[in-house]
Amino acid sequence: MNARVVAAAKVVVMGVAGSGKSSVARACADRLGWPMVEGDDFHAPASVEKMKRGIALTDADRQNWLERLRDLLHDTPAPIVLACSALRRSYREVLRQRSPDLRLVFLDIDQATALQRVSGRRGHIFPSSLVASQFEALERPDGEPGVKVVDATRPLEEVVEEIVRWLAA
């Protein structure tokens, strides 16, 4: 796939914890030769501490984080791939405010698989005790403009191929 075909794209790889956001975003960015940004790196230190203690973030905790990511997307020339949970429609709307042509890839996964994956991670800021809160907060992006829903239980290579084909279409 020729990266020039989709050179103007700004893409958010989104989903609950354990859906594979970082892995898929990194693999897509590598495949396309684009920069990749890890959204978790932009959380406020207080938010990181809350998550490490197993306390779910509130909308207020996420607001400044989302605004930083919104501004980063706007200020960074395309192309770019951002890994960000973007669980609620209102969060996605913040990201779209300054990047109206933003494309989003929703990594669809069931709660049991997400819990299994998160439980297997070591040294991550997000404990498995918070997986249920992710599904409680999730507002699926079905039907929103510029969104591709992808089955995140499939092998990474298949997921990346589907996303790259979609971006080129």
Side-chain angles (χ1 to χ4, degrees):
M1 190 67 52
N2 188 331
R4 289 176 294 168
V5 173
V6 287
K10 292 185 178 190
V11 179
V12 173
V13 177
M14 60 159 292
V16 298
S19 64
K21 293 180 297 293
S22 299
S23 298
V24 170
R26 169 58 51 216
C28 285
D30 288 348
R31 169 90 178 269
L32 294 165
W34 295 1
M36 182 266 189
V37 174
E38 174 55 63
D40 284 346
D41 294 343
F42 292 81
H43 277 295
S47 293
V48 172
E49 284 306 311
K50 280 181 85 169
M51 287 186 283
K52 284 182 178 178
R53 292 193 325 261
I55 301 169
L57 298 182
T58 65
D59 288 351
D61 293 327
R62 290 184 177 103
Q63 188 61 39
N64 287 337
W65 172 66
L66 290 164
E67 290 170 358
R68 283 191 291 277
L69 295 176
R70 174 202 63 201
D71 294 345
L72 175 115
L73 284 168
H74 176 264
D75 296 342
T76 303
I80 184 172
V81 180
L82 169 66
C84 171
S85 56
L87 297 174
R88 296 188 193 274
R89 185 174 186 128
S90 62
Y91 303 169
R92 296 186 291 275
E93 292 305 322
V94 170
L95 297 175
R96 289 179 175 122
Q97 285 173 348
R98 299 185 69 199
S99 299
D101 295 329
L102 186 66
R103 296 185 184 193
L104 294 105
V105 175
F106 172 53
L107 299 178
D108 196 7
I109 190 170
D110 63 88
Q111 189 166 341
T113 304
L115 182 59
Q116 179 184 25
R117 288 180 177 182
V118 172
S119 296
R121 297 193 297 204
R122 300 291 171 246
H124 195 275
I125 64 172
F126 199 90
S128 60
S129 62
L130 289 177
V131 169
S133 71
Q134 294 268 288
F135 282 88
E136 290 165 11
L138 178 63
E139 294 172 358
R140 293 179 55 93
D142 301 315
E144 291 180 26
V147 173
K148 173 72 173 167
V149 178
V150 177
D151 177 355
T153 63
R154 295 183 9 235
L156 178 63
E157 300 78 22
E158 289 180 21
V159 170
V160 170
E161 182 62 31
E162 182 177 348
I163 293 167
V164 170
R165 277 196 321 268
W166 174 67
L167 289 171

